[in-house]
Amino acid sequence: MALSRYKLVAQLLILGLLVGLALWEHLMRHYDLILPPTLLAIALLVAIPLQCLGHLGAAVADRLLLAGGLILCAVEAPGSATPMLWLGLSVALGFLLLPPLTALILSLAVVPALLVVLGDAYMTLFNLALGWWLTLAAATLTLLLDHSAKTSPFTLTPWRRDRRLSGSCIRENLKIEVARAAALDRPLSVLVVYIPQLDQASDQFGGHLREILSASFSDVVSNNSRQSDLLGEYRANVFWLVLPNAAEPGAIAAAKRLSNAVTAVTHPEIGSLESYSRVCTLQIDESAEAFSRRLEAAANKLLEPHA
């Protein structure tokens, strides 16, 4: 599915909080404050299945959720006994839903805007400095957590650390999986995936954008694959997804699921990513070398219509 399980859980929790807030305002007879959380809950209730079906990009859903959250903070803060907590929530929302630099710029603007909404009693230099200090602290914490996630040594395999293996590493892992499948008499399939937009990104916008899109694609594969699956970049813009214990029907189902999930990766310059894939299943008594040749032939077939 296009929506990762972690983001799905987070959005369901937010949905529950919004419904709870609407019910609380109703019980407290604050009828003028019921509408914002109710509308946001309805929008999220519609967006979640659309994301799961791949009809709504995750980035679009995040922007809608952020806009609704900021409106909710602006509406709820003036009547709250602790309005500065809503200021902190608005800053946290930005860093949860946006890239760090974009979130920093937005939060620096949101802090004085929300203080103006709260009134002259809160529009002080102390509160403004406190809000901006909170923004810088959140930005620093986000960067530290992001750096820690990329460099943490407490991971079991390079696949889980770097999201994708190098070409030589995926070939070595394929040999190991072929030997394992033969010894245990278990099926083995490989999904050969071609992402044409990576060519376009590299040619028109340079290697930096290509690497961003490639990393996003790897994240999508990680969120929609099993722990035992292995992703490797076989060659530029062509990937191998090794599927241990997966026969051809299971691999075909995985290919369809991945194709739907990849469309969630979008960028203004190139739009949504799309993928072309072929399924190759290990034959009885087939050697790792012969299987690799079949995978290479499948990759060449994928590239032919786009040459």
Side-chain angles (χ1 to χ4, degrees):
M1 63 187 207
L3 185 63
S4 75
R5 64 179 70 92
Y6 307 110
K7 184 164 286 188
L8 176 61
V9 170
Q11 292 192 5
L12 288 175
L13 288 174
I14 293 173
L15 178 60
L17 290 173
L18 290 172
V19 172
L21 179 61
L23 291 175
W24 173 258
E25 298 293 4
H26 176 74
L27 292 173
M28 297 301 293
R29 301 183 184 274
H30 297 159
Y31 299 118
D32 56 330
L33 299 178
I34 295 177
L35 191 58
T38 302
L39 291 178
L40 190 54
I42 293 173
L44 194 55
L45 191 61
V46 174
I48 289 175
L50 289 178
Q51 290 178 85
C52 293
L53 295 173
H55 298 316
L56 181 65
V60 176
D62 286 345
R63 270 47 172 194
L64 291 175
L65 186 58
L66 176 62
L70 293 178
I71 293 173
L72 182 64
C73 290
V75 171
E76 292 285 343
S80 172
T82 54
M84 294 302 289
L85 288 180
W86 290 97
L87 177 65
L89 178 60
S90 65
V91 172
L93 275 175
F95 286 97
L96 287 173
L97 298 173
L98 293 175
L101 180 58
T102 307
L104 176 62
I105 296 173
L106 177 65
S107 297
L108 290 175
V110 164
V111 168
L114 193 55
L115 289 177
V116 170
V117 171
L118 292 178
D120 295 337
Y122 288 93
M123 190 57 191
T124 64
L125 288 178
F126 176 78
N127 286 338
L128 184 62
L130 179 63
W132 281 345
W133 176 86
L134 178 63
T135 297
L136 295 176
T140 303
L141 180 61
T142 301
L143 293 175
L144 288 175
L145 290 175
D146 185 60
H147 178 73
S148 176
K150 292 179 179 179
T151 60
S152 174
F154 303 107
T155 49
L156 296 179
T157 63
W159 151 243
R160 290 305 166 192
R161 182 175 66 251
D162 300 328
R163 298 295 186 188
R164 63 188 184 277
L165 302 173
S166 64
S168 59
C169 194
I170 192 64
R171 289 183 179 85
E172 291 301 319
N173 276 272
L174 179 65
K175 294 179 182 179
I176 295 172
E177 291 298 334
V178 169
R180 175 181 172 277
L184 300 178
D185 193 23
R186 302 294 298 170
L188 174 66
S189 297
V190 175
L191 191 61
V192 183
V193 185
Y194 170 54
I195 309 295
Q197 283 87 353
L198 295 183
D199 286 325
Q200 177 186 348
S202 181
D203 294 340
Q204 298 182 9
F205 304 104
H208 179 65
L209 178 57
R210 181 200 177 280
E211 183 57 32
I212 291 176
L213 294 174
S214 182
S216 299
F217 166 73
S218 301
D219 290 339
V220 168
V221 174
S222 177
N223 291 331
N224 291 272
S225 300
R226 303 168 300 173
Q227 184 70 26
S228 58
D229 297 342
L230 296 172
L231 177 70
E233 189 167 0
Y234 165 67
R235 65 169 73 162
N237 313 329
V238 177
F239 301 83
W240 285 359
L241 180 59
V242 181
L243 305 171
N245 301 322
E248 186 172 0
I252 292 174
K256 292 180 179 178
R257 183 174 65 250
L258 181 60
S259 178
N260 292 332
V262 166
T263 60
V265 181
T266 61
H267 197 276
E269 280 80 3
I270 63 161
S272 298
L273 289 187
E274 58 183 359
S275 61
Y276 299 89
S277 61
R278 282 179 176 259
V279 174
C280 296
T281 303
L282 182 68
Q283 304 298 319
I284 299 176
D285 296 330
E286 186 176 20
S287 66
E289 291 75 14
F291 192 32
S292 295
R293 288 195 294 270
R294 279 208 296 131
L295 295 175
E296 185 171 356
N300 292 333
K301 286 291 184 182
L302 288 174
L303 292 171
E304 280 179 3
H306 311 282

